[in-house]
Amino acid sequence: MTDPLAMEKNLQAHIDETPPRPLSSMQWSLWGLAAAGKFFEGMVIFLTGVAIPLIQKDLDLPANLKGAVGAALLFGILIGASLFGQLADRLGRKFVFVLEMALFTCFIGLTALAWNAAILISLLFCVGVTLGADYPTAHIIISEAIPSRFRGRMILAAFSFQAVGSLGGVLVGILMLDIYPELNAWHWMYGVLVIPGIIVTVMRSRLPESSHWLLSRNRAEEAHTAAVKLLGRPVRILQQQPEDMAQEPKREFKDLFSPRYIRATILTSVPWFLQDLSTYGIGLFTPSIIGSLFSMDQPDLILRDLTAAEGAGAIDLLLVVGFLVSIPLVDRVGRIPLQIIGFIGCAAGLAIASFSGAVPEGSALKIPLIFGGFMLFNFMTNLGPNAITYVLAGEVFPTQIRGAGAGFAAAFAKIGAVSTAFFFPILRKDIGTATLLQWLVLTALAGALVTYLFRIEPNGKSLEQMGYGQPTFRAR
């Protein structure tokens, strides 16, 4: 009779081996293929921001459907994160990891062929579902294969490719508009992702299954084989359990809301929701906001969209810089301090950008305030909440519900993303950009407060210590 929890500890001891060994080629491959999924997500979302003005004109979209284009993608992410997170707990990390990329490649290819608004919105929703699936699985598949001492850095480095993809999406948009300056250039923007998607799908199919997940399903022999393949060396994780030893109870989705795990559920979901309200609103509509600044100087839509994309690209560079600063700090400073500092910095950036509303039209200060505020926001969001919310979600739950917990957190967050994507253009028109940004300042400050009140610091702790050692929640 075997003890899955004891074997998980043995497995993690091999992964965390002392003295430490370099990562195996399989661990690096696993990390790189997880990073690819985040790259595609960032690229598609920010590429859509560049494409929306072209799509609106090409397909003659009314204002409410302009928001629906971005919202469909994010609503799909919401559904995908929730659904596939639980599937990763039931069917396996690798199965979902491969399936989601195969479906992404299929749907992004069909999106490039969309001929009307209804088809486009439906297909972007499907693309979003596949990108949402990558939230829990990519995170977990890294967490369960990387040594605890630098787990945070590796997860964050993979997630940073969302920012690289964001910049890449803007650059692809610029390139396509430069090569093919027509309204229907948006078809090619999506189509270029098909071949990379096929390559990543094939490479993911060659990875081993998560040994942690196999042990949680009492498949010890398969877990041992997968661990050997992952680490590239002999390992010993099998251990006999005395007959009278108590079994670790089975956990289900509902346990996320039990007294033992509700603190972790609130910490991982509510700040992420508050962060997504601003991150996706700013990310999707930065080109539109910048384009409005140049609308009088550049009446031609194609050239205005190209100018706006170039400006957005300059701002989005700070997303990458934010990640580069946060990666070496996450395992030194800790997750919680970085998230709180980042939220406060985001509020400062949004406040600076909102001051542009008090500046008269044509003033030389207007553009520096918008650019400076958005740059500070992008830097601070990836130094803190956009990065750390993702890291936390896969660290604070036990193996049996790790996918469900990470999936729920990502899905709950995307309610905020969908809301801001749909209502951002409407609210901009009704109350103005400056007032809308001031509202987002308050949500960023709320994110800092919730993080502090429900804080759990995983820094330096193994997954078993975090997932199985949760304290019962007591209100402060």
Side-chain angles (χ1 to χ4, degrees):
M1 191 172 184
T2 57
D3 176 9
L5 179 54
M7 288 191 295
E8 278 202 66
K9 291 178 179 178
N10 287 343
L11 169 64
Q12 194 64 46
H14 281 288
I15 294 174
D16 291 341
E17 192 170 26
T18 303
R21 301 191 189 204
L23 295 182
S24 70
S25 59
M26 186 60 72
Q27 285 173 305
W28 278 114
S29 296
L30 181 149
W31 177 86
L33 293 170
K38 307 320 298 175
F39 177 85
F40 286 138
E41 182 203 356
M43 175 166 276
V44 172
I45 290 172
F46 281 71
L47 187 62
T48 299
V50 177
I52 280 176
L54 305 178
I55 293 170
Q56 184 179 19
K57 187 73 173 179
D58 190 32
L59 301 182
D60 196 24
L61 294 181
N64 62 326
L65 285 185
K66 178 182 178 181
V69 170
L73 185 63
L74 297 175
F75 185 63
I77 292 176
L78 183 161
I79 299 299
S82 179
L83 174 64
F84 283 81
Q86 295 182 64
L87 285 180
D89 285 335
R90 294 183 180 183
L91 303 179
R93 317 310 197 202
K94 178 183 175 179
F95 176 81
V96 176
F97 201 48
V98 175
L99 176 64
E100 70 196 26
M101 188 54 58
L103 292 175
F104 166 78
T105 304
C106 175
F107 287 125
I108 200 69
L110 293 173
T111 299
L113 302 175
W115 60 90
N116 62 43
I119 296 295
L120 176 65
I121 290 171
S122 298
L123 288 170
L124 283 175
F125 168 78
C126 293
V127 169
V129 170
T130 65
L131 293 174
D134 205 63
Y135 266 90
T137 51
H139 183 307
I140 293 166
I141 210 163
I142 296 175
S143 295
E144 295 178 350
I146 296 298
S148 303
R149 62 186 177 277
F150 53 82
R151 184 180 64 237
R153 277 172 282 172
M154 294 298 287
I155 294 170
L156 201 50
F159 189 58
S160 71
F161 276 77
Q162 183 192 64
V164 178
S166 301
L167 183 59
V170 173
L171 294 177
V172 167
I174 293 172
L175 180 62
M176 289 299 150
L177 286 171
D178 188 54
I179 295 174
Y180 186 65
E182 302 291 339
L183 287 177
N184 61 357
W186 62 269
H187 291 282
W188 292 101
M189 295 179 188
Y190 291 117
V192 297
L193 296 177
V194 173
I195 292 177
I198 293 172
I199 294 171
V200 173
T201 300
V202 173
M203 294 181 69
R204 283 187 176 189
S205 69
R206 298 174 180 173
L207 295 174
E209 179 56 272
S210 164
S211 296
H212 279 278
W213 179 81
L214 290 168
L215 288 175
S216 75
R217 312 300 287 187
N218 294 314
R219 293 159 61 178
E221 293 292 344
E222 293 174 69
H224 181 267
T225 301
V228 171
K229 185 175 181 181
L230 172 71
L231 299 174
R233 61 179 185 268
V235 299
R236 185 174 182 274
I237 62 175
L238 301 181
Q239 178 171 312
Q240 293 299 307
Q241 174 186 324
E243 293 293 335
D244 59 349
M245 183 177 288
Q247 289 288 324
E248 191 67 24
K250 183 178 180 181
R251 292 178 175 84
E252 300 175 347
F253 181 81
K254 64 182 181 180
D255 291 313
L256 296 176
F257 310 98
S258 67
R260 188 174 185 182
Y261 295 109
I262 187 63
R263 184 189 203 89
T265 301
I266 293 172
L267 173 67
T268 55
S269 59
V270 176
W272 201 347
F273 167 87
L274 294 169
Q275 176 261 331
D276 273 9
L277 283 173
S278 51
T279 295
Y280 283 91
I282 301 301
L284 273 171
F285 296 104
T286 291
S288 297
I289 294 171
I290 295 174
S292 67
L293 298 176
F294 299 103
S295 59
M296 299 299 294
D297 299 328
Q298 185 52 266
D300 182 82
L301 175 64
I302 301 294
L303 292 178
R304 188 165 73 243
D305 194 39
L306 181 59
T307 301
E310 290 170 347
I315 290 173
D316 291 343
L317 278 173
L318 272 294
L319 291 170
V320 179
V321 175
F323 271 128
L324 291 177
V325 174
S326 67
I327 289 170
L329 294 179
V330 66
D331 288 319
R332 295 181 182 179
V333 175
R335 283 62 155 159
I336 299 301
L338 281 182
Q339 182 156 306
I340 292 173
I341 292 168
F343 266 127
I344 294 171
C346 287
L350 292 168
I352 291 170
S354 73
F355 294 156
S356 65
V359 175
E361 290 296 331
S363 170
L365 283 175
K366 201 171 189 71
I367 291 178
L369 285 173
I370 289 285
F371 271 74
F374 282 1
M375 284 180 170
L376 178 60
F377 171 83
N378 278 356
F379 172 76
M380 295 305 293
T381 194
N382 277 359
L383 174 69
N386 190 43
I388 303 302
T389 51
Y390 180 75
V391 175
L392 285 171
E395 292 186 314
V396 295
F397 300 103
T399 303
Q400 291 180 356
I401 55 171
R402 190 168 293 135
F408 174 80
F412 189 81
K414 292 304 169 285
I415 296 175
V418 171
S419 299
T420 197
F422 187 82
F423 291 111
F424 202 97
I426 298 172
L427 290 173
R428 273 188 65 209
K429 183 178 179 181
D430 291 345
I431 66 175
T433 300
T435 302
L436 182 55
L437 293 176
Q438 290 164 5
W439 287 7
L440 294 177
V441 169
L442 298 178
T443 66
L445 294 175
L449 179 62
V450 174
T451 300
Y452 175 77
L453 293 176
F454 294 90
R455 61 192 181 275
I456 301 171
E457 181 56 72
N459 192 24
K461 299 177 182 177
S462 71
L463 294 179
E464 287 67 43
Q465 285 176 294
M466 292 305 304
Y468 293 98
Q470 287 289 351
T472 300
F473 173 71
R474 294 182 179 87
R476 292 183 180 274

